[in-house]
Amino acid sequence: MVLAETPAAELRYAWRVLSVTGLGMWVTFSSVSMVPVALPDMVGDLGAGPAQANWFVLAYQLVTAVLMLPLGRLSDVLGRRTVYVSGLALVTGSTLAICLAGSPEWVVVLRGLQGVGAAAVITNTTALLVDAFPAGHVSRGIGWNITIMSTAVALGPLLGGLLTESFGWRGVFALSAPLALLGTVWAAVALRRTRPITRGRIRADPWGTVLSVLAVGGIVLAVNRVGDGVGTAAFLVPLLAAVLGLVLFVLVERRVSNPILDLRLVLVRFRGSAYAATALLNLGLAAGPLLVSLYLQSLHGLTALAAGLCITAQACGNILVGPFAGRWAATTEARVLATAGAALAVTGAALLALVFALGGSGLPVAGALFVVGLGNGLFQTTNASVINIGVRPWERGMANGFRVMIDNSAALLGSAAALVLVTAWLPHAARADALAGATGGFTADELAAFATAFPVAVGALAVLSLVAVGVSALRGRAPLPEEA
C-alpha cells in the first residue's frame, strides 16, 4: 500500500515543480527577447538577405504558434513530464547548434526546431503547476511563474545587447544553451514519473490538428506580410486560409469523439469569458512596447538602449504585482480581480495615448507602461488560474494550450494592426522608412502626421481593450479553487 503524501510534502513538491517551470520560462522567454537585439549582427555576420533575416524571427514564431495546442493535447496523452523534458532537450540541442551554424539557411531550420521545443515547454507550464499545487495554492504558483516570465522579458533585451556587443550574436545563444541544458536535467530529476492520465481514453484527432495548424499558421503569416499591404495576395491568401481553417476546425471539433479542443470547455460561461477577455486584452495592449520603441526612437531620437529601459517599466509592473496577484486570486472572486486588472491596464493605455498626444517621452512614457504592467499582471495571473477550475486532469494540457495559443495569436494580430494604424496617414513610399525609424528625410507635414498617428493608434487599441473589461465583468461567478 502507498501512503498518501502529507500536505506539507505535497506543497514542497509543488514548489519544486515551480522551480522547473520557472527555469523553462526563463530560457524560452529570455531567448525570445534577446534575439531581436542581436538580429542586425546575425544578418551581417551570416550574409543573410532580407527574406532570410525575416525568417530568423518568423520560423520561431510560426512553429511555436501552430504547435501550442497540439503539444498541449499531446501532454494529456503521453504525460507532461515526457513532453516537457523532450521540449527542453530540443531547445538545448537546437540552441547549441545555432551557435555553431555557418549559414543563414541552417539558422532558419534550427530556429524552427527551437520553436518546437519552446512550444512544448510554454504550453505545458501551467498544466504542470495545476497538477502539482493543491487547489488553494494554484494561483500563487501561476503568479510566481508569470513573475519569472516577466523578469526574463524585461532583462532579455539588456542582456542581449550586452552579449552582442561583447561576443557577437552567437553570445546570445551561447548563454541560453547551458541554461537550457540545466533546465532539462533539473526537469528530468525533479518531475515525478507518472503514467499518462488518459490511459487510452484519448485517440488522435488528425483533422483537428491539421486545421488548427492551418488557422493559426495563416494568422501568423498574414500578420508577417501586412507590411506588403492589406490588399496584396501575400496578405490575403494566408488570411483567407486562416478563416477557412477556423470555420472547418469548429465544424470538425463538434463532431469528433476525441477532439484536440473540446468546445464544451469554451462554452462554460466563466471559462469562455476568460478566454475571450484574454484574447481581447492581448489584441489591444500587446503592441504597446513596439509602439513605444518606434515612437521614442523615430520621433524623440532616443537610442535603442534608452527606449528599451523605458519599455522594461511594463515588465516591472508585472513583476511587482505577480506574487500578490497569486495570493489574492486564491481568496477573491475572479470576476472582481481580473476585471480590476483589465481596467487598470486599459487606464495605463489611455495614459500612454495622452502622453503621446502631448509629445512626452522618457519618464511619463515609462510611468504609463508601468500602470499597464500592473494591470496586466493582475489580470493574467487571475485569468490563467480561473481557466483551470473544473477542468478534468486529462484536459489540462488542452485547456492551457488553447489559452497560450489565443494569447499569442491575439498579440501578433494586435501588433500588426498597430503598425497599420500608425503608418496609415503617411504616403505609401514613406511607410517603410517610418517603421525603420528613418524619419530624417520626412517633411514637416509627414512628421506631424506620424506623430499624430501614435495617440490615435494607442487610443483605438485601448478602446478595443475596454471591451475586454466588459467581457470580464460579465463572466459570471467562478468557483474559488477550494469550492471547485
Side-chain angles (χ1 to χ4, degrees), residues 61-437:
Q61 286 183 336
L62 179 63
V63 172
T64 302
V66 302
L67 290 183
M68 282 182 175
L69 180 57
L71 288 176
R73 191 54 170 153
L74 187 64
S75 76
D76 289 331
V77 178
L78 298 182
R80 300 200 214 293
R81 181 183 183 276
T82 299
V83 175
Y84 187 90
V85 173
S86 299
L88 261 182
L90 186 56
V91 170
T92 302
S94 56
T95 302
L96 181 60
I98 291 173
C99 294
L100 306 174
S103 70
E105 293 81 7
W106 270 113
V107 170
V108 171
V109 171
L110 292 167
R111 285 285 284 164
L113 289 175
Q114 199 179 35
V116 176
V121 172
I122 295 169
T123 196
N124 279 293
T125 295
T126 302
L128 278 167
L129 294 172
V130 174
D131 286 347
F133 274 91
H137 296 267
V138 168
S139 57
R140 296 184 187 181
I142 292 175
W144 276 108
N145 201 64
I146 290 176
T147 299
I148 295 168
M149 179 197 73
S150 301
T151 305
V153 171
L155 296 181
L158 301 179
L159 284 173
L162 290 172
L163 289 167
T164 302
E165 289 184 7
S166 302
F167 307 105
W169 67 270
R170 296 179 196 272
V172 169
F173 295 96
L175 174 67
S176 298
L179 289 176
L181 177 60
L182 176 63
T184 304
V185 173
W186 178 231
V189 170
L191 296 179
R192 291 171 179 161
R193 295 179 181 272
T194 56
R195 292 181 179 180
I197 203 165
T198 55
R199 295 183 182 177
R201 187 182 283 120
I202 296 173
R203 294 185 297 276
D205 178 17
W207 281 111
T209 302
V210 170
L211 291 171
S212 72
V213 168
L214 178 64
V216 178
I219 291 172
V220 175
L221 289 174
V223 166
N224 183 259
R225 305 314 303 174
V226 73
D228 295 342
V230 293
T232 62
F235 173 78
L236 289 176
V237 170
L239 180 63
L240 290 174
V243 173
L244 177 64
L246 180 61
V247 171
L248 292 176
F249 177 79
V250 172
L251 293 176
V252 167
E253 295 304 276
R254 290 177 61 188
R255 288 169 171 78
V256 297
S257 57
N258 291 283
I260 192 173
L261 175 64
D262 190 338
L263 297 179
R264 289 174 298 179
L265 286 175
V266 183
L267 295 177
V268 175
R269 180 179 172 184
F270 75 84
R271 189 179 300 113
S273 298
Y275 282 130
T278 191
L280 288 167
L281 201 66
N282 275 283
L283 190 63
L285 298 182
L290 175 64
L291 290 177
V292 165
S293 177
L294 190 60
Y295 171 84
L296 292 176
Q297 293 183 71
S298 299
L299 295 177
H300 289 270
L302 270 66
T303 65
L305 180 60
L309 286 172
C310 283
I311 292 169
T312 58
Q314 180 168 332
C316 289
N318 270 296
I319 292 167
L320 180 63
V321 81
F324 298 103
R327 291 185 181 182
W328 299 333
T331 56
T332 306
E333 188 180 342
R335 176 177 53 185
V336 174
L337 204 57
T339 303
L344 185 59
V346 173
T347 301
L351 290 173
L352 184 62
L354 180 60
V355 171
F356 283 171
L358 297 175
S361 65
L363 191 59
V365 171
L369 285 177
F370 182 74
V371 175
V372 173
L374 287 175
N376 197 49
L378 183 59
F379 172 83
Q380 295 295 351
T381 300
T382 307
N383 218 54
S385 301
V386 78
I387 281 170
N388 289 279
I389 294 176
V391 176
R392 294 176 293 186
W394 58 87
E395 293 179 335
R396 287 171 184 163
M398 173 201 298
N400 289 288
F402 182 59
R403 176 181 62 83
V404 293
M405 185 194 75
I406 62 174
D407 278 354
N408 190 63
S409 300
L412 289 171
L413 281 173
S415 297
L419 293 180
V420 170
L421 288 170
V422 86
T423 58
W425 297 4
L426 293 173
H428 193 272
R431 292 176 185 176
D433 289 337
L435 295 179

Side-chain angles (χ1 to χ4, degrees), residues 26 29-31 33-35 37 151-162:
W26 175 270
F29 279 91
S30 65
S31 178
S33 59
M34 284 192 290
V35 167
V37 181
T151 305
V153 171
L155 296 181
L158 301 179
L159 284 173
L162 290 172

